[in-house]
Amino acid sequence: MSSGDTSSHVAGAMESAAQSVSTSVKAHGGLFVAQADGAFMPTLHSRGPWSLDALHGGPPAALLARAIERCDPRPDMQVARLSVELIRPVPVSPLRVEARVTRPGRRVQLIDATATSGELTVAYARALRIQTGSPPIRLSPSQGAGGISPEAESLRGPDGIQPMVFPESTEPAFHSAGAELRFEKGAFHVKGPATVWVRLLGPVVAGEVPSPLQRVAAAADFGNGVSAELTFGTDIFINPDLTIHLHRMPVGEWVCLDARTWLGDPGIGMAESSLFDVAGPIGRSLQSLLVQEGR
């Protein structure tokens, strides 16, 4: 593929993805419902795999990202890093989310956000916002023509890949009812690295269209689950954090994770994911893991 053909491919893919709006998003009840008092009530679609009384990490990460986006927004700034700390299990109960600028600046800013349940802080996030430039940055040859990296050129898009289907007896949760997963490599309950396309089946907050940052925050938390090196049901590999670095925002509904898990010192692991959209690479994500073999 010539550089001109590749550039046309990227532009076409981005335009097509940006115009795509899934009807399932419109019909879905959402991960949270905004309450009259300003709180957000989680729905069954936001629950996690470890306990039906606690949320999956993706929905609260996306809700915190939403609050950060709405905090003193500037059209010339973009989130380049989002770090989420899940300091205790996030309950299936009303959450209050607040955000504030803690490091103002013309070119670089820090925004901190917290999620509380009752009197308890259950999660917080810090975002690094950077001022976007006007002239496009010249890409290095190693990034490929049009910004496509060599590894991205071999990625299949989500079209043509069968979605993962869960048994009818599966309880509604984020991984089974809140998001759609299409595996290019690996599988949900198969150990080892995996490459999976993820899209939300509904909005983060009912009645809204998810932003690109919300989509990638929700999807990136799947890294440890899809690339597990231990066994669901008997072992624990919970991520108490999630850090996402983005050199550009995703376009369209789909976010791809090329994920793998590393097990290190006893009790500690790490999951890392290369992140893509239909046009190419967008960034990286990391998760620290609490690891326990056998419950």
Side-chain angles (χ1 to χ4, degrees):
M1 181 181 292
S2 69
S3 60
D5 291 339
T6 306
S7 299
S8 298
H9 169 76
V10 173
M14 294 181 70
E15 181 179 357
S16 174
Q19 292 175 350
S20 173
V21 178
S22 172
T23 55
S24 63
V25 170
K26 298 178 181 178
H28 197 283
L31 302 177
F32 299 92
V33 176
Q35 306 291 287
D37 63 355
F40 297 91
M41 184 64 197
T43 70
L44 299 182
H45 299 113
S46 63
R47 297 188 301 184
W50 306 107
S51 168
L52 295 180
D53 296 324
L55 302 190
H56 190 286
L63 189 65
L64 287 162
R66 176 184 179 274
I68 286 167
E69 288 179 306
R70 292 172 173 237
C71 179
D72 192 23
R74 279 178 43 184
D76 64 332
M77 300 202 84
Q78 182 170 295
V79 172
R81 187 196 73 221
L82 176 66
S83 299
V84 179
E85 308 289 342
L86 302 164
I87 55 179
R88 51 175 48 91
V90 182
V92 185
S93 61
L95 299 177
R96 293 189 177 277
V97 182
E98 298 180 351
R100 61 191 181 95
V101 178
T102 51
R103 196 279 194 189
R106 183 173 62 87
R107 295 186 294 182
V108 177
Q109 293 182 342
L110 288 176
I111 300 92
D112 289 337
T114 58
T116 57
S117 175
E119 300 298 318
L120 287 177
T121 298
V122 293
Y124 59 86
R126 167 165 284 188
L128 177 72
R129 283 201 302 217
I130 296 177
Q131 186 180 41
T132 55
S134 179
I137 302 299
R138 181 179 300 149
L139 296 171
S140 66
S142 63
Q143 292 181 290
I148 292 185
S149 63
E151 66 268 24
E153 288 187 335
S154 62
L155 266 182
R156 286 190 301 162
D159 294 342
I161 302 176
Q162 292 297 313
M164 181 175 181
V165 178
F166 290 86
E168 292 185 3
S169 59
T170 302
E171 291 282 353
F174 183 54
H175 64 281
S176 60
E180 179 179 341
L181 282 68
R182 298 189 181 188
F183 282 87
E184 178 175 345
K185 180 179 71 177
F188 200 67
H189 291 291
V190 175
K191 295 179 182 178
T195 304
V196 60
W197 289 93
V198 181
R199 70 170 170 178
L200 292 173
L201 287 176
V204 174
V205 175
E208 300 179 0
V209 176
S211 71
L213 182 63
Q214 292 170 36
R215 291 183 186 278
V216 74
D221 195 69
F222 277 112
N224 64 317
V226 300
S227 68
E229 292 290 350
L230 297 172
T231 304
F232 273 108
T234 58
D235 303 321
I236 291 175
F237 39 97
I238 298 173
N239 63 299
D241 73 347
L242 169 66
T243 299
I244 303 167
H245 287 266
L246 297 170
H247 59 265
R248 69 172 176 85
M249 287 293 166
V251 294
E253 298 179 307
W254 293 98
V255 174
C256 181
L257 283 69
D258 186 28
R260 71 178 303 143
T261 291
W262 304 91
L263 301 179
D265 291 330
I268 299 175
M270 181 185 74
E272 60 175 344
S273 302
S274 297
L275 304 176
F276 302 84
D277 64 8
V278 293
I282 59 173
R284 298 286 190 274
S285 63
L286 291 171
Q287 299 162 290
S288 301
L289 303 182
L290 165 67
V291 177
Q292 293 180 358
E293 294 188 73
R295 297 196 185 189

